[in-house]
């Protein structure tokens, strides 16, 4: 959100994903999976060198439907 940069990553079967070398700032995260509604998490604060966990529950449905979570920290 702060830089306008975009990064893409795929999770493993356990749902864990890694995007290396992110700078500090606020990010939006979009989660997509076949057979589930797309989920968006806004205002994810990242600090350099500090891992961040984002908990997202996907709901069964079409990817054209979107779930938005505001103010995640």
């Amino acid at each position: 959100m702060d830089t306008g940069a975009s990064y893409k990553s795929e999770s493993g079967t356990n749902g864990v994903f890694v995007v290396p070398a992110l700078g500090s700032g606020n990010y939006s995260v979009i989660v997509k999976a076949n057979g589930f509604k797309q989920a968006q998490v806004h205002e994810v604060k990242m600090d350099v060198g500090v891992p961040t966990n984002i908990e997202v529950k996907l709901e069964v449905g079409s990817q054209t439907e979107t779930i938005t979570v505001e103010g995640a920290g």
Side-chain angles (χ1 to χ4, degrees):
M1 292 173 34
D2 294 339
T3 66
S6 178
Y7 304 91
K8 193 173 198 175
S9 179
E10 288 190 28
S11 72
T13 57
N14 61 355
V16 174
F17 65 94
V18 176
V19 181
L22 290 178
S24 292
N26 290 311
Y27 291 86
S28 288
V29 177
I30 298 172
V31 180
K32 299 178 186 179
N34 289 333
F36 293 90
K37 297 176 186 177
Q38 174 178 292
Q40 297 178 0
V41 183
H42 300 288
E43 301 289 331
V44 177
K45 186 176 185 299
M46 299 286 296
D47 293 314
V48 172
V50 179
T52 299
N53 291 324
I54 304 167
E55 296 211 16
V56 178
K57 291 183 181 181
L58 296 178
E59 294 181 15
V60 175
S62 170
Q63 281 188 350
T64 59
E65 298 177 77
T66 302
I67 301 166
T68 302
V69 179
E70 297 286 343

